[in-house]
Amino acid sequence: MVGAERWRNPDDLPKDCEERRVEDYAKLRQPLDPQVFIHDMRAELDHEPSELNDGLGGKGLRCLKVSGRKTGAIQLTPLDAAHRADQLASAQGR
């Protein structure tokens, strides 16, 4: 986020940060309770990949595999090599 590094040190926060917390969170449309924020974020992260899969007709992407956490939640498999375009082959003198 552009400019975020300015506030990375809590000592650098504006002096009225605590007094304006409710107003600032309302402007950001974010809950004050961190547990609610985490719950909402997890729900969104669970929902969005399903939306993508449904948008692809339920077939998913053949190069994408979602697996258990121990092996990594998302894995990309190598794609088959694409055929050279005729123009590229002739430009390379083949």
Side-chain angles (χ1 to χ4, degrees):
M1 177 182 262
V2 176
E5 70 276 354
R6 178 177 179 198
W7 308 113
R8 68 179 169 224
N9 184 348
D11 296 335
D12 294 337
L13 290 174
K15 302 299 180 212
D16 63 347
C17 181
E18 198 57 44
E19 294 83 32
R20 295 182 48 162
R21 181 178 298 273
V22 173
E23 176 187 345
D24 290 343
Y25 276 56
K27 286 179 183 177
L28 294 169
R29 291 176 282 179
Q30 296 298 328
L32 287 169
D33 183 350
Q35 294 304 319
V36 173
F37 175 82
I38 291 168
H39 176 270
D40 293 349
M41 183 61 66
R42 284 185 174 156
E44 183 177 342
L45 291 172
D46 286 343
H47 175 75
E48 295 302 324
S50 296
E51 285 288 308
L52 173 62
N53 188 58
D54 293 347
L56 295 168
K59 297 176 185 169
L61 297 172
R62 64 184 175 93
C63 64
L64 178 70
K65 178 181 175 189
V66 179
S67 62
R69 286 273 183 205
K70 291 182 181 180
T71 59
I74 298 175
Q75 298 174 340
L76 294 174
T77 59
L79 295 174
D80 297 332
H83 296 286
R84 272 188 203 268
D86 291 335
Q87 297 86 357
L88 179 60
S90 63
Q92 291 179 338
R94 295 182 181 159

